[in-house]
């Protein structure tokens, strides 16, 4: 038994960002064990015992139980620590928030994360420019659809869903921060930009930023 | 208002399979509107109005509301039609089931779906053999981790979690069916094979198979 939650993470990991932001939004204290991806530390024998995928994040609970997968962690947090909520109270609203979050988490991020970009280099000899083209292709497709939904759907408010923070905002901001590394121009997406800017004023997001982490370089 | 749920789908789509299986497991009647991916019908002007991502599935409810994203649909079904459940009753079990489901739905399937494989051909001139190598790489990585978890974790039973069907089984079987198209050898994964074989005896999965759909060719 330990007294605090332990998050296994990497400062640049967008999925770790999601969990850091959710923990902070819910005012839960946690420690971090960080893994240097440049040294492949997430695939060390010890960590693979904890998480056979060799991916971050994992959240270790006080009783030693490990929860894998960022969105499964967010759902668990929502069930065990419901205040402040990161999902609306109604099933229809929850479906909308999850579908927005999943647009980022299933249809943008997995195709563009570090291991996939590295695989493009290894299997196809992709250079930096080709990797960037790949990244920007999927971001553009995803953000165009995301912006269209936000701009046209009545439930959009100050945040992705109404005027309260939700899992959709968390996934969106984590991706937007990631996009900066490839110089993606978000000016064609004014509704997204507006929401991201608003979120970045919130301490929970500020504390989740890559540059604020102990392993930042 | 219509009397039945309407699923927008494509027979070969693994994400459509998930929703078909969940609807059938919950004994909910539904109609299907199918989209011919070879003709890019999912990106027609009409469907893009309904789903700006131009992806299937979308579930249209009786009141006309559209729900996007297969896992968001599964969570909605679970909330509105909880019996039989596709998530365990305890938060810890739900986290385990979601983390297994997400291993397939976030870390395997998105990197290997049709639009990504097509993009490899377009951007890198990948041929059939290179596309197959890409597919098998991500499947192997994901299934090795999935098998390790199932084989080592005490909560594994006749199905991925205990002796009841869950979202984890649905995502697993949908992926396994997909794998057959690339001749992926699943014999190194006996726990997975055992569960998939058991699921394939269940009418809900049989009715969800690509070959059982109205648009199958």
């Amino acid at each position: 038994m330990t007294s605090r939650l332990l998050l296994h993470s990497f400062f640049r990991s967008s999925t770790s960002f999601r969990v850091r932001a959710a923990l902070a939004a819910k005012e839960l204290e946690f420690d971090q064990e960080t893994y240097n991806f440049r040294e492949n530390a997430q695939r060390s024998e010890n960590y693979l015992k904890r998480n056979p995928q060799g991916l971050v994040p994992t959240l270790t609970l006080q009783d030693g139980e490990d929860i894998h997968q960022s969105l499964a962690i967010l759902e668990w947090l929502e069930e065990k620590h419901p205040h402040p909520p990161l999902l609306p109270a109604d099933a229809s609203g929850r479906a909308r928030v999850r579908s927005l979050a999943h647009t980022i988490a299933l249809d943008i991020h997995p195709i563009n994360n570090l291991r996939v970009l590295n695989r493009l280099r290894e299997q196809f000899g992709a250079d930096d420019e080709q990797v960037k083209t790949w990244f920007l292709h999927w971001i553009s497709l995803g953000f165009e659809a995301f912006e269209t939904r936000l701009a046209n759907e009545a439930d959009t408010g100050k945040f992705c869903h109404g005027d309260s923070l939700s899992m959709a905002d968390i996934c969106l901001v984590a991706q937007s921060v990631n996009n900066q590394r490839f110089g993606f121009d978000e000016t064609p997406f004014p509704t997204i930009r507006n929401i991201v800017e608003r979120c970045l004023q919130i301490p929970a997001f500020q504390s989740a930023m890559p540059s604020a982490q102990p392993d930042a370089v």
Side-chain angles (χ1 to χ4, degrees), chain A residues 33-57:
Chain A
E33 174 107 26
T34 62
Y35 296 80
N36 189 333
F37 273 43
R38 287 170 298 269
E39 294 170 359
N40 234 11
Q42 80 283 9
R43 298 201 62 83
S44 69
E45 199 178 329
N46 252 345
Y47 186 64
L48 282 171
K49 276 187 206 150
R50 187 183 293 284
N51 182 330
Q53 282 197 276
L55 297 174
V56 294

Side-chain angles (χ1 to χ4, degrees), chain A residues 78-103:
Chain A
E78 193 64 14
E79 294 182 359
K80 300 296 280 187
H81 303 278
H83 301 291
L86 293 173
L87 284 173
D90 60 308
S92 170
R94 280 197 295 278
R96 181 169 180 267
V97 166
R98 287 187 178 115
S99 74
L100 287 167
H102 291 194
T103 291

Side-chain angles (χ1 to χ4, degrees), chain A residues 143 171-180 186 192-193 196:
Chain A
F143 267 44
C171 290
L172 177 63
V173 175
Q175 185 62 52
S176 175
V177 167
N178 214 14
N179 292 351
Q180 292 170 12
E186 292 184 356
I192 288 177
R193 274 316 308 165
V196 169

Side-chain angles (χ1 to χ4, degrees), chain A residues 5-211:
Chain A
L5 297 164
L6 176 63
L7 178 64
H8 302 266
S9 64
F10 174 55
F11 76 109
R12 272 199 186 135
S13 150
S14 177
T15 52
S16 300
F17 183 112
R18 294 175 196 156
V19 180
R20 292 193 299 254
L23 287 165
K26 289 179 177 292
E27 298 184 20
L28 295 166
E29 297 200 329
F30 62 101
D31 296 312
Q32 288 194 75
E33 174 107 26
T34 62
Y35 296 80
N36 189 333
F37 273 43
R38 287 170 298 269
E39 294 170 359
N40 234 11
Q42 80 283 9
R43 298 201 62 83
S44 69
E45 199 178 329
N46 252 345
Y47 186 64
L48 282 171
K49 276 187 206 150
R50 187 183 293 284
N51 182 330
Q53 282 197 276
L55 297 174
V56 294
T58 297
L59 185 67
T60 303
L61 308 185
Q62 283 93 337
D63 66 1
E65 183 188 342
D66 291 315
I67 304 183
H68 310 305
Q69 291 284 342
S70 61
L71 293 189
I73 295 170
L74 263 58
E75 294 277 356
W76 181 88
L77 286 172
E78 193 64 14
E79 294 182 359
K80 300 296 280 187
H81 303 278
H83 301 291
L86 293 173
L87 284 173
D90 60 308
S92 170
R94 280 197 295 278
R96 181 169 180 267
V97 166
R98 287 187 178 115
S99 74
L100 287 167
H102 291 194
T103 291
I104 307 278
L106 281 84
D107 292 328
I108 298 179
H109 177 263
I111 319 174
N112 275 343
N113 65 15
L114 187 62
R115 63 185 194 142
V116 172
L117 303 183
N118 282 342
R119 180 76 190 167
L120 291 175
R121 295 179 196 273
E122 288 158 19
Q123 192 182 336
F124 298 103
D127 60 22
D128 288 350
E129 201 53 40
Q130 288 171 312
V131 164
K132 185 176 174 180
T133 300
W134 173 274
F135 187 98
L136 297 181
H137 171 76
W138 298 112
I139 294 291
S140 298
L141 260 185
F143 267 44
E144 279 163 21
F146 204 96
E147 174 71 22
T148 298
R149 288 196 60 188
L150 290 184
N152 294 336
E153 293 177 1
D155 285 329
T156 305
K158 289 185 184 169
F159 294 101
C160 287
H161 193 80
D163 294 337
S164 303
L165 197 65
S166 74
M167 292 182 189
D169 304 295
I170 287 179
C171 290
L172 177 63
V173 175
Q175 185 62 52
S176 175
V177 167
N178 214 14
N179 292 351
Q180 292 170 12
R181 297 183 52 221
F182 286 86
F184 179 65
D185 177 14
E186 292 184 356
T187 50
F189 311 104
T191 322
I192 288 177
R193 274 316 308 165
N194 208 341
I195 290 170
V196 169
E197 292 298 341
R198 183 167 291 114
C199 288
L200 291 175
Q201 304 303 316
I202 298 173
F205 284 100
Q206 293 169 352
S207 73
M209 291 292 280
S211 57

